[in-house]
Amino acid sequence: MNAILLAAEMVFQPDVLVTIVLAALFGLFVGAVPGLTATMATALLVPITFFMSPVSAIGAIVTCSAMAIFAGDIPGTLLRIPGTPASAAYTEEAYAMTRKGQGELALGANLLFSALGGLLGTAVLIVAAPSLAEVALQFSSFEYFWLACLGLTCATVVGTGSTIKGLVSLMIGLLVATIGLNNPAGVPRFTFGNVDLMGGIDFIAAMIGLFAVSEIFRYVLGLSADTSNVQAPAGNLFTGWGKLFKQY
Amino acid sequence: MRINDAILGAVLLVFSLVVGLYARTFPAIPGQEYGASVFPTWISIALGLCSIVLIAGGLRQWAETGAVSLASWARSGHHLRALAITIALVVFYILASTPLGFIPTAFIALAVLFAMLGVRPVLVPVLAVGITMVVHYGFYSLLRVPLPWGVLTPWAW
């Protein structure tokens, strides 16, 4: 408990708080640009942190990456183009809310639950980091294999209307992931002699192609949903967050 | 637009066969049971099974839906031309950005897109130049992405 109080005293200094706000603005910008990820925001920030005090530097990096992850929801909700890979899973739902005029509510829920999730995760880490580390150390190849299987089956069954089409897209995705040199044998697979394909298909490139380009096709074909209806103001989030919490 | 599942399934079946056969050509690792071909082969088998299920399901609905039911945009020449131009611009960027350089290529692509989407003719070149330079500054100068200079190499900064 003493350590936590001491840490709070170190964090709640004016200069640290100003750094955190600036880092949050930077993360907001980078995360909201589709194709620039939270990792990239952190990588760009790291050289600047060399000139800060340690507490400000760590605060800036943590804030920046957390903010960039949330900010990825902004273009996802408003344009159906996820800003960071982390937002890709629920882009459709958030955009559907915008279409119904609930864009502000969707963004509010994103913000609120990003913040709550981050705080909860930090709290768990503070309390249980050593025991979690013990569990994590016992993870071997078998556990990782089944974890990946669980993730893939969830994506197939939950994510789509038709399970068989979900399976088909899962297989196509796995096939795309085999492109490149990254296999135990080091054999170039499906590169067709193209040097650019040897490193495999980058996640960012795939995401831009799948979400951004398809949204542009929709727009060009006049299929983009009509978003001209008035967005209902969600009001003050802090007065209504109990309701949001119950609803979602 | 809806294409009958049977047609999609048939295309996928052919695709999975091609992938499976191509995967057989990957060299095996001497003395090892598993080589580079294992995963692509499994994926092609699974994809083939899925496509057979799709074909079976699609054939059952064939009578009601027909082979292809076209959406309204697929019959509109204006929309089809817009789609063709968009795809052509992506291909144009891939082919032309290295020899021509980022700035001219992006300018041409943006100008064509703006003109197609009904931006006022006076604004088209202004917006295209402005956005090209902003993107170039952001990615080339700030993020240090080595965008190609092409024909503008003598004036590169």
Side-chain angles (χ1 to χ4, degrees), chain A residues 166-197:
Chain A
L167 272 175
V168 166
S169 52
L170 169 69
M171 289 307 153
I172 292 175
L174 285 177
L175 190 65
V176 169
T178 63
I179 293 173
L181 280 177
N182 191 10
N183 57 75
V187 177
R189 296 194 286 200
F190 305 111
T191 57
F192 303 106
N194 187 330
V195 182
D196 292 329
L197 284 177

Side-chain angles (χ1 to χ4, degrees), chain A residues 26 88 112 124 126 145 196 232 241:
Chain A
F26 173 73
L112 184 68
V124 168
I126 290 174
F145 173 77
D196 292 329
W241 74 273

